[in-house]
Amino acid sequence: MNRIGSAIVRHPHRILGITALITLLSVISLFRISFNADVSSFITEGNERGEAFAALQDKYATKDPVNVVVSLPDRSRFSDREALVALAAFRDQLSTLDGVAEVAALIPAINPLDGSAITPEFLASAPDMLLQAVTSGPLSDLMLSPDGRHTLLLVVPEGDGIDVARSIPELEPPAGAEVTVSGNPAVYASVIDVLSLFLLLIPPVVMVLLVATFYANVGDRRLSLLALVPALLGSLWTFGLLSLLGREIDIVTVIVPIFVLVMGSADGLHFVTHFQDVSQELPDQRDRVVSTLREVGVPMILTTISTAAGFLSLLAADIRPIRQLGVFAAIGITFAGIISFFALPAILTRVGVRRAAHHALLGGRVTVGLRWLAVRRWTAVSLVGIVVVFGAVFIPKLTIDSDPLFMFGSDHEVRQAFERTEDLFGGATPLVGEFVLDPADPGGSLEAARLASDELEALPGVRKVFSLADLGASVPPEAIASVDLPIGEMVSDDGLRFMLLPADYSPSDLRAWLDHVENSDEIRVLTGVPVLWDEMARLILRAQIGSVIAALVLVALMLWFTYRRLRPTLVAMIPLLLTIVTLLGFIAASGIQLNMITAVVSSIVIGVGIDYAIHFVAAIDHARPAGPGYVLRAIDRAGRPIVANALGIAIALTALLLSPLRPHHHISGIMWVSMTVAALGALVVIPALLPREGLEGT
């Protein structure tokens, strides 16, 4: 460390120049950021059910439609001429929007009898009998509610439909009618808006909360700001790298800069705190840097590796965004560690520092409190007992969230629109499937498809199954391939696409449908977003188990290679195991379900939680040569930055409560509990595992 410290003091301008250049390149790269709002795309690759969904969409050249529900006032019905005229006019407005390929409506655009256009003017003067014939087409059962007050229009986009979903609410609805927009494109549009808002709002709030927390423990404004610089630059470099590589930002990876900010700030905080401690003792800048690196340099390297290892353990997951989160968060933590090790000391050589810990709001009180807890070993026994009982009671109650709208709360307009569409028409996101079609016997295939439809509709949770087989005798079997409906292609050389509209169904109902399809000779496949999210639930459980095991193994190996002894390895691991038990128990006890975002937290907590044990054990080893009382001296030295970092992470992640996404709120609560137990576990349990002489001298 002497050589490194001397080199930093001699060449600070070179180090800071390289840092500034990389930062500038990262800022330039940010202009290439793009977003991926298609949450269903997360499991369409490398997964059997996901690939079946993608293959069916490709086979029938289908797009996810935007669902538009038009609701009339209480006394009006779509059997009224005025309502039909207004509906036709609204249908035409939708058709003229940019990016709309076609619109499927109760009133078709073309008269199937003579090929003439069905315009509002035509409906205004058409005979009543003709109106009844026009509105009783093959899609009327799908698109008109039983009471006649609500109708569904399917707006089929040319592309992803995001711009279309955003444009529809700007249209003038039929007089007195209410318009509800749902469907996957509406979700994607909302997600992109959320991602943009998240990146603009949350990181600045996180930084303010971190600096305020650090100041409460450090008592120096400049040092509090400087402690955050490595994490801020590490986050910026990471997003610059993401953009440079052409990676898209999604609902999972959007939280990468937050994790890098709050968890990458640990090394910066430890360095400035120890630098502050030695600033009064050592007037020479070189001596200050060398002394600080000698005391915290190795722990900084180890904690950077351990935190990165926690994120890299997410590579054990089968879910692409989670793996991407793990890789880039690990890269960001590494960037922050390198900056803390080189650029931060270079900055501090140019900044005057005074010892101000005694002016800090919490610094001295924290140290006194930790000393009190450490010398009373019953506090450690009590903490371990409470955690073990808590985990034994609640961990078995963990559940997995298979809700496709898991990211939205119950009061969010997207969820309310989906629920309204589902109540009226059986699902804002229908399932799709394929019946077997024998080209040599189309009549027999249609009859078999009709029987298979009846069997599906008899299953719990199924409202309606629609395919060309429902057209019955109105279309000869040999002409089935020429039928053109405005809901996408419905027939191929060897299959009939069908839509399954669910009613109020449960995950067990969904699995019963899939089991039925497995045993059916007439149904080739049943898939759709609900099926993909049911599969996602299975992958999330596997990701939770696999990533936790991988993180624990990586951290244990790192500690073993560092200490080369079993005792200190186990001593450092015990507080971490207590933290994991508390974390999983809290998730279950609070009613939070595991989903794509909350499932990654355990591995992250492992990587971060072990940092406190590493820094505390290093401080103990540093204080041991001075004789008895070394644990208390280690608390004096390391207790303040450990608590400051734990509080910084917890308080900073409180900013996630401002996010419109529900799982981010859950992460805030999870990290408060986890960081509290991780810090207390290290500072209270580790002293109880060491000889009594370490606590002498009080």
Side-chain angles (χ1 to χ4, degrees):
M1 293 299 173
N2 290 344
R3 290 184 178 180
I4 296 175
S6 298
I8 292 172
V9 173
R10 286 197 307 269
H11 308 291
H13 294 95
R14 294 183 184 179
I15 296 172
L16 295 177
I18 294 172
T19 303
L21 178 61
I22 298 175
T23 302
L24 178 62
L25 294 175
S26 299
V27 171
I28 294 173
S29 298
L30 291 180
F31 291 98
R32 300 180 56 186
I33 282 182
S34 59
F35 297 107
N36 173 25
D38 184 357
V39 292
S40 65
S41 68
F42 295 164
I43 53 172
T44 54
E45 298 178 4
N47 176 275
E48 184 179 348
R49 289 184 178 176
E51 290 175 350
F53 174 75
L56 193 66
Q57 283 193 311
D58 290 341
K59 183 175 182 178
Y60 289 93
T62 56
K63 299 283 187 180
D64 284 331
V66 182
N67 304 320
V68 181
V69 175
V70 179
S71 301
L72 296 175
D74 288 344
R75 296 184 180 180
S76 299
R77 297 293 182 271
F78 279 106
S79 56
D80 301 337
R81 183 183 298 272
E82 295 80 5
L84 290 176
V85 170
L87 179 62
F90 188 63
R91 177 206 65 197
D92 292 344
Q93 286 188 72
L94 292 171
S95 299
T96 59
L97 289 176
D98 290 339
V100 173
E102 55 186 341
V103 178
L106 177 66
I107 307 170
I110 301 298
N111 191 331
L113 300 178
D114 58 13
S116 61
I118 301 179
T119 63
E121 293 76 16
F122 170 82
L123 294 173
S125 59
D128 292 341
M129 184 177 299
L130 185 57
L131 286 183
Q132 184 177 1
V134 167
T135 57
S136 60
L139 301 181
S140 59
D141 288 343
L142 292 177
M143 298 187 166
L144 188 63
S145 64
D147 63 1
R149 282 188 54 225
H150 313 274
T151 187
L152 173 67
L153 298 93
L154 300 178
V155 182
V156 181
E158 294 176 344
D160 56 23
I162 293 175
D163 291 337
V164 173
R166 286 174 171 163
S167 300
I168 292 174
E170 299 175 1
L171 297 178
E172 184 70 25
E178 178 184 356
V179 174
T180 302
V181 181
S182 63
N184 285 336
V187 174
Y188 305 156
S190 181
V191 167
I192 284 184
D193 293 340
V194 166
L195 296 182
S196 302
L197 175 64
F198 185 96
L199 290 177
L200 290 173
L201 175 64
I202 306 300
V205 176
V206 167
M207 288 188 287
V208 170
L209 292 175
L210 273 175
V211 171
T213 306
F214 290 172
Y215 178 70
N217 285 272
V218 175
D220 187 294
R221 293 184 181 86
R222 287 178 300 175
L223 288 182
S224 299
L225 288 169
L226 289 174
L228 189 60
V229 167
L232 176 60
L233 295 183
S235 179
L236 183 61
W237 290 10
T238 305
F239 249 40
L241 181 61
L242 271 166
S243 302
L244 189 64
L245 295 177
R247 301 296 179 93
E248 294 180 315
I249 309 301
D250 53 47
I251 61 170
V252 179
T253 53
V254 72
I255 206 170
V256 165
I258 305 301
F259 283 149
V260 175
L261 273 174
V262 298
M263 294 159 194
S265 63
D267 288 337
L269 178 62
H270 279 282
F271 192 93
V272 299
T273 303
H274 287 281
F275 192 87
Q276 182 188 48
D277 288 340
V278 302
S279 63
Q280 294 298 317
E281 305 166 8
L282 303 171
D284 183 73
Q285 293 283 44
R286 176 192 173 281
D287 292 339
R288 293 177 180 178
V289 171
V290 171
S291 176
T292 303
L293 285 176
R294 187 186 302 120
E295 185 168 352
V296 300
V298 172
M300 284 169 59
I301 295 172
L302 293 178
T303 54
T304 297
I305 294 173
S306 66
T307 305
F311 281 107
L312 288 176
S313 68
L314 297 176
L315 291 174
D318 292 331
I319 305 170
R320 175 176 50 79
I322 291 180
R323 294 198 299 268
Q324 182 167 285
L325 166 70
V327 169
F328 284 98
I331 291 173
I333 294 297
T334 304
F335 283 156
I338 293 172
I339 297 168
S340 297
F341 202 91
F342 293 101
L344 182 58
I347 296 173
L348 287 171
T349 61
R350 320 302 298 174
V351 176
V353 177
R354 60 186 177 85
R355 183 178 177 86
H358 59 282
H359 296 308
L361 180 63
L362 299 177
R365 296 179 179 87
V366 166
T367 301
V368 171
L370 292 175
R371 278 171 154 263
W372 188 91
L373 291 172
V375 298
R376 292 162 176 80
R377 297 195 174 198
W378 59 265
T379 59
V381 175
S382 300
L383 177 63
V384 172
I386 292 171
V387 168
V388 170
V389 172
F390 181 72
V393 171
F394 288 105
I395 288 179
K397 299 179 181 180
L398 275 171
T399 57
I400 302 171
D401 193 352
S402 59
D403 180 8
L405 300 178
F406 75 95
M407 70 287 287
F408 298 114
S410 59
D411 58 344
H412 197 282
E413 60 182 7
V414 168
R415 182 177 290 278
Q416 292 177 345
F418 267 68
E419 290 176 351
R420 178 175 177 80
T421 305
E422 182 173 352
D423 289 343
L424 293 171
F425 297 101
T429 306
L431 283 76
V432 291
E434 184 180 38
F435 294 128
V436 174
L437 174 64
D438 182 1
D441 184 18
S445 296
L446 288 175
E447 180 60 29
R450 276 191 288 270
L451 293 175
S453 292
D454 293 341
E455 292 175 356
L456 279 175
E457 289 179 351
L459 296 176
V462 178
R463 175 179 178 267
K464 174 70 177 175
V465 176
F466 176 80
S467 72
L468 293 183
D470 292 328
L471 299 183
S474 61
V475 178
E478 59 274 9
I480 197 71
S482 63
V483 175
D484 183 22
L485 295 178
I487 54 175
E489 296 181 17
M490 299 296 292
V491 61
S492 67
D493 293 338
D494 63 349
L496 291 173
R497 185 169 74 95
F498 67 84
M499 299 169 58
L500 185 153
L501 281 76
D504 186 15
Y505 71 98
S506 65
S508 59
D509 292 334
L510 176 61
R511 295 185 186 102
W513 307 342
L514 297 173
D515 290 341
H516 177 81
V517 170
E518 285 288 329
N519 298 318
S520 174
D521 295 330
E522 289 76 27
I523 306 175
R524 186 172 287 135
V525 65
L526 176 65
T527 183
V529 172
V531 175
L532 297 186
W533 282 97
D534 183 70
E535 179 71 3
M536 178 69 77
R538 183 183 65 83
L539 296 177
I540 286 170
L541 178 59
R542 184 191 298 174
Q544 177 74 79
I545 297 172
S547 62
V548 166
I549 293 174
L552 288 173
V553 170
L554 288 172
V555 167
L557 288 174
M558 184 203 68
L559 292 174
W560 172 257
F561 285 123
T562 301
Y563 300 129
R564 299 287 182 176
R565 290 179 294 151
L566 182 61
R567 180 182 176 85
T569 299
L570 293 178
V571 166
M573 289 291 292
I574 287 174
L576 182 60
L577 294 174
L578 293 176
T579 303
I580 295 303
V581 171
T582 304
L583 164 65
L584 297 177
F586 173 75
I587 291 175
S590 61
I592 299 172
Q593 294 179 306
L594 293 177
N595 54 50
M596 247 192 329
I597 297 177
T598 57
V600 309
V601 177
S602 297
S603 300
I604 295 169
V605 166
I606 290 174
V608 177
I610 195 64
D611 293 358
Y612 306 141
I614 290 173
H615 276 288
F616 192 40
V617 170
I620 290 172
D621 289 341
H622 187 80
R624 197 187 301 271
Y630 52 83
V631 171
L632 297 179
R633 291 194 296 276
I635 289 176
D636 293 341
R637 204 72 162 179
R640 186 161 53 97
I642 287 174
V643 170
N645 181 246
L647 281 176
I649 290 175
I651 292 174
L653 288 179
T654 303
L656 292 177
L657 294 176
L658 299 175
S659 170
L661 300 181
R662 184 178 57 167
H664 291 163
H665 304 174
H666 297 161
I667 288 179
S668 176
I670 288 170
M671 295 306 291
W672 264 103
V673 173
S674 300
M675 293 301 96
T676 300
V677 175
L680 283 178
L683 295 167
V684 175
V685 175
I686 287 179
L689 299 173
L690 298 176
R692 186 72 190 182
E693 67 174 8
L695 298 170
E696 294 178 357
T698 59

